[in-house]
Amino acid sequence: MPKVDLAAIEQTNRTGYPPEHAGAVAGRWVRRLGPATGLSDFGVSHVVLKPGAASSQRHWHEDEDEFVVMLSGEAVLVEEGGRTPLHAGDMASFPKGDPNGHHLVNESGEDCVFLAVGRVPLGDAHYPDIDMQWVGGSYRRRNGSGF
Amino acid sequence: MPKVDLAAIEQTNRTGYPPEHAGAVAGRWVRRLGPATGLSDFGVSHVVLKPGAASSQRHWHEDEDEFVVMLSGEAVLVEEGGRTPLHAGDMASFPKGDPNGHHLVNESGEDCVFLAVGRVPLGDAHYPDIDMQWVGGSYRRRNGSGF
């Protein structure tokens, strides 16, 4: 059955962020549809953001294209260029290597839902708002120290 | 601006199908969001199906994962296992190499809209309902003759 059965797929709010940066994504509930449905060319995450939650810390990837489409509710896309509300059917693209840190934040009082498409990043990622970067396979402060 | 501006992206009903198999997709209007927004890791097509139109001839790919999410309206997912109505928010995955020919058909009286995610297929594709296959870079009949 190709139709995705969301209820059969684990939903988790786990994060690999160090504890001091993890609070922003505590209300981010993710289902990883790619592995669950047999896809390997790319990943698709089904994400529910609770009120107040962010999709990630604001970041950009050196080597991973990202694409999001809103399914329900409202989120604010925050990036270098400003703030843009997104509603059901709205989409956004984040080409790899573009140093435009971005994330979605649910500033509403209701859950919002979106899909995020990407591939496993192999290179580094940058977080302009906090003292953290993903370098050589681990999170590091800008001075190179670990968490 | 990461938000996708659909109105700025060309919409086309072009098809590479041979004329005798092209009628089914004449009402399929596609915007290719990947190239238009700077993505290269994967492709995202925004597709409007007019009443009566199909997303493609029913097919499966040897080497390309595909994923669809409905944004509005209703389509019927037709595959070997049967027929499944899809509505806004419904999703389906088609892992590469699974010989389960599939397509979406708009059997309603209104437009429907979906996104399709995939990568450029390098290998062959199979069309179980018609005398056509994609082999070695071109459409061929099962006896190997061209169109």
Side-chain angles (χ1 to χ4, degrees):
Chain A
M1 165 57 82
K3 183 178 172 185
V4 175
D5 179 7
L6 281 182
I9 300 174
E10 183 200 26
Q11 190 182 41
T12 174
N13 71 340
R14 283 192 300 268
T15 177
Y17 286 166
E20 66 203 78
H21 297 308
V25 296
R28 175 192 66 182
W29 289 87
V30 178
R31 290 181 170 97
R32 300 204 179 280
L33 307 187
T37 64
L39 305 181
S40 54
D41 284 351
F42 49 84
V44 182
S45 290
H46 178 277
V47 184
V48 177
L49 288 186
K50 297 291 180 183
S55 60
S56 65
Q57 293 282 356
R58 199 164 70 88
H59 74 288
W60 61 275
H61 291 283
E62 293 192 1
D63 73 337
E64 183 198 13
D65 286 341
E66 295 180 297
F67 176 88
V68 298
V69 56
M70 290 294 294
L71 297 186
S72 67
E74 175 178 329
V76 179
L77 164 61
V78 181
E79 38 108 13
E80 295 292 342
R83 295 164 45 86
T84 308
L86 299 181
H87 302 94
D90 287 342
M91 296 163 279
S93 287
F94 307 100
K96 56 189 169 190
D98 180 0
N100 181 9
H102 55 270
H103 64 171
L104 305 187
V105 182
N106 183 355
E107 298 182 357
S108 81
E110 308 290 334
D111 291 1
C112 70
V113 182
F114 67 91
L115 297 182
V117 181
R119 290 170 65 183
V120 175
L122 300 173
D124 296 346
H126 303 275
Y127 295 79
D129 297 336
I130 57 178
D131 184 11
M132 183 173 87
Q133 49 190 336
W134 178 263
V135 181
S138 65
Y139 289 113
R140 297 270 162 187
R141 293 190 178 83
R142 293 207 177 87
N143 68 8
S145 64
F147 288 94
Chain B
M1 165 58 82
K3 184 178 172 185
V4 175
D5 178 6
L6 281 182
I9 300 174
E10 183 199 26
Q11 191 182 40
T12 176
N13 72 339
R14 283 192 299 269
T15 176
Y17 285 166
E20 67 203 77
H21 297 308
V25 296
R28 175 192 66 182
W29 289 87
V30 178
R31 290 181 170 96
R32 300 204 179 281
L33 307 186
T37 63
L39 305 182
S40 55
D41 284 351
F42 49 84
V44 182
S45 290
H46 178 277
V47 184
V48 178
L49 287 186
K50 297 291 180 184
S55 61
S56 65
Q57 293 283 356
R58 200 164 69 87
H59 73 288
W60 61 274
H61 290 284
E62 293 191 1
D63 73 337
E64 183 198 13
D65 287 339
E66 295 180 298
F67 176 88
V68 298
V69 56
M70 291 294 295
L71 297 186
S72 66
E74 176 178 328
V76 179
L77 164 60
V78 181
E79 38 107 14
E80 295 292 342
R83 295 163 46 85
T84 308
L86 298 181
H87 302 93
D90 286 342
M91 297 162 279
S93 286
F94 307 101
K96 57 188 167 189
D98 181 359
N100 181 8
H102 56 270
H103 64 172
L104 305 187
V105 183
N106 183 354
E107 299 182 357
S108 80
E110 308 289 335
D111 292 0
C112 71
V113 182
F114 67 92
L115 296 183
V117 181
R119 291 170 66 183
V120 175
L122 300 174
D124 297 345
H126 303 275
Y127 295 78
D129 297 336
I130 57 178
D131 185 9
M132 184 173 87
Q133 48 191 335
W134 178 263
V135 182
S138 65
Y139 288 113
R140 298 271 161 187
R141 293 189 178 84
R142 293 207 177 87
N143 67 10
S145 64
F147 287 93

